[in-house]
Each structure stands twice: as C-alpha cells, then as structure tokens.
Amino acid sequence: AGLFILGMPILLVIGHWVVWVSVIVDFRLSNISITVIEGINVFGLLALPLFILTGDLINGAGIARRLTNFAYSLLGWMRGGLGMAALGACGMFAAISGSNAATTATIGSIMHKEMKAGNYGESFSAATMAAGGVVGIIIPPSILLVVYGFLLHLPVGDLFMAGLIPGAMMIIGMQIVCFFTAWRNGWGILNSFHVGDTVRQAGQAYLGFVAIGIVLFGIYGGVFSPTESAAMTAVFGLLAGVLVTRELRIGALPRILLASGRITGMIVPLVAVSIVMQQLLSI
C-alpha cells in the first residue's frame, strides 16, 4: 500500500511483495521465474492480445467511425443526442475490442471534438467519453474478464454472458443522464431524423455488426472458444480494412501491431506476477 501511494508502477509493487514474501516464508526464489513462465503459457490467455489487436484493426479500418455515424443518425434528433450517440458507439465498439482504454481512445478521438463543436461543455464532453469507455471491460468480449477467468479458473464464456445485460444497462443509464444534463443546459444541435439516412448509415456500418456477431454468436452458439473468436475477429478486421473499406494500409500494420503489443506488454506481466502472488497467498 505504501509503494502504491508513492506512485510506484503496479507491476513493481506486486513484484516487490512477491520477492520479499518468498524470502520471509523461505520459499525458493527460482519458483518466481518458473511460475511466471508456466503461468502465462496457456492457450486461453491468447484471447487477450488478439482482442487488443482486433480493436486497433477495427479502428484503422474505419469501422469504428461508421458505427459512430450510425448511432448519431439514430439519436441526433434528441437533446443530448450527440453525447448519447457517443455512449452508444462506446457500447458497440466495446463489443468488439473488449478494452476500456481502446474504447475511450477510439470513440473519444472521433466524438470529443464533435461534442465541443455542438456546444457541449468541454469537461462534460471529456467526462462522457471517459464514462462510456468503462463498459469496455463489462460488455463481452472483455479483456479483464478473460484475465479474471484465467486467474480464478472460471469459464470465460459464462463471464461474458454475465456482463452482457449489465453493460447494456450501464449504457442506457448513462444516456439518460446525458439527456437530462444536456436538456437542462441547452446543449447540442438538433438534427432531423430521417429513416432513409439511418438505414444508409446502418448499411455502411454493417461490418461492425458482423464483427459483433462473430464475437457474440460465435461464443454463445458454441462455434468458437473465446480465444478462437478473438482470432477470427482479428482476421476479419484485417481483411475488412484491407479489402472492403480499403482504409487500412499494409504499411500501417507494423505501427498497429506495435501499439497492440505495447498494451499487451503492460497487462501480461501483471497477470504473471499475480499468479505468483496467488500461489504465495495459498502457501
């Protein structure tokens, strides 16, 4: 707790605890390296980097922007509709990426400046993006639920099912708050609702719906395991971006892979030392 308060990175906080508790209980320090390597050498944990990569590919392919445009065409006629659309887009993107950071960064980069241009308060716009990103670890496929299930030996598919309805309720609840806050402050520029435009935007966003379908129906239909579903969605995002939308350039793939690798490189070491921590607590 002291190291955490002083601002030391979480990995080093847990790492220090693991080393010193091993010394105190007279446990071999070589066990740390063995457990770290063997603990993450598990097929199910492959879902984590694959879902992270999927989110980056979907963003690079322009699918996230199309989902956002569809949400705005559906809700833009209401007071606070732009903020509500941003929250809805967060929910849809979370159902593909499984990451709160990726959801906030992707949808926020698209919608934050739009909300400011729509006369929303700047702090409210930022808070809306931050709050919407929280569902990235609730709505399946959640990277956190993959890690949680792996560490506690729980079925990841069941955890995904458990997060679906609460995640949807969180989005609806935040949209209600957004509506009343915008209505009270007179924020937002109202657009007319046109069925044709909404249908057209839905047609342009069909790739996002397909990606969500691969994840949800693949897992719950018993077609894929969560890891296989992550691999299928990553391949789909790559092919859709290169061959269909043509917004994903082959030359950009090294940058995307590096960005995904950096996120994975922050999470997996935490999982590894947490496994040793669990072992020592049991002992």
Side-chain angles (χ1 to χ4, degrees):
L3 294 175
F4 179 76
I5 292 171
L6 291 174
M8 180 174 286
I10 299 296
L11 175 63
L12 296 182
V13 172
I14 301 176
H16 273 291
W17 189 93
V18 164
V19 170
W20 291 111
V21 170
S22 296
V23 171
I24 291 169
V25 302
D26 198 23
F27 206 59
R28 293 176 59 186
L29 291 178
S30 61
N31 172 73
I32 297 175
S33 59
I34 295 171
T35 305
V36 162
I37 296 298
E38 294 299 324
I40 61 175
N41 188 24
V42 179
F43 176 74
L45 200 59
L46 278 175
L48 191 151
L50 288 171
F51 277 129
I52 293 173
L53 176 60
T54 297
D56 288 337
L57 290 172
I58 291 294
N59 184 30
I63 297 174
R65 188 183 69 254
R66 287 169 168 80
L67 289 172
T68 302
N69 292 339
F70 165 69
Y72 187 45
S73 70
L74 196 63
L75 299 169
W77 59 275
M78 302 173 64
R79 179 65 67 183
L82 187 59
M84 296 166 68
L87 292 167
C90 284
M92 289 187 285
F93 188 79
I96 304 173
S97 70
S99 167
N100 54 353
T103 301
T104 301
T106 301
I107 305 302
S109 65
I110 299 171
M111 297 298 286
H112 182 245
K113 59 184 178 183
E114 296 292 333
M115 289 185 68
K116 288 200 298 181
N119 297 324
Y120 288 81
E122 184 171 0
S123 59
F124 178 79
S125 302
T128 301
M129 295 299 99
V134 171
V135 298
I137 57 172
I138 303 296
I139 295 177
S142 165
I143 293 170
L144 185 64
L145 290 181
V146 172
V147 174
Y148 182 80
F150 170 72
L151 290 176
L152 300 185
H153 306 290
L154 298 172
V156 175
D158 291 351
L159 292 174
F160 282 179
M161 183 70 77
L164 191 59
I165 294 177
M169 292 176 66
M170 288 173 65
I171 288 292
I172 294 171
M174 287 187 284
Q175 286 178 328
I176 292 172
V177 172
C178 181
F179 169 77
F180 282 108
T181 304
W183 176 72
R184 186 176 67 245
N185 292 281
W187 288 336
I189 300 172
L190 302 183
N191 291 338
S192 301
F193 176 74
H194 299 287
V195 175
D197 180 57
T198 301
V199 172
R200 181 175 60 83
Q201 294 292 347
Q204 293 181 354
Y206 79 95
L207 291 171
F209 303 139
V210 172
I212 294 172
I214 291 174
V215 174
L216 299 183
F217 295 109
I219 295 174
Y220 303 139
V223 181
F224 307 130
S225 70
T227 302
E228 293 165 342
S229 176
M232 290 293 294
T233 314
V235 171
F236 172 80
L238 175 62
L239 295 178
V242 173
L243 301 178
V244 183
T245 67
R246 298 184 180 181
E247 294 187 26
L248 186 60
R249 304 298 179 187
I250 298 296
L253 288 180
R255 175 181 55 81
I256 292 174
L257 289 169
L258 180 59
S260 300
R262 283 173 173 161
I263 300 298
T264 303
M266 287 191 292
I267 297 175
V268 173
L270 282 172
V271 175
V273 294
S274 296
I275 294 170
V276 186
M277 185 178 184
Q278 280 187 331
Q279 184 187 65
L280 288 171
L281 285 171
S282 298
I283 293 171

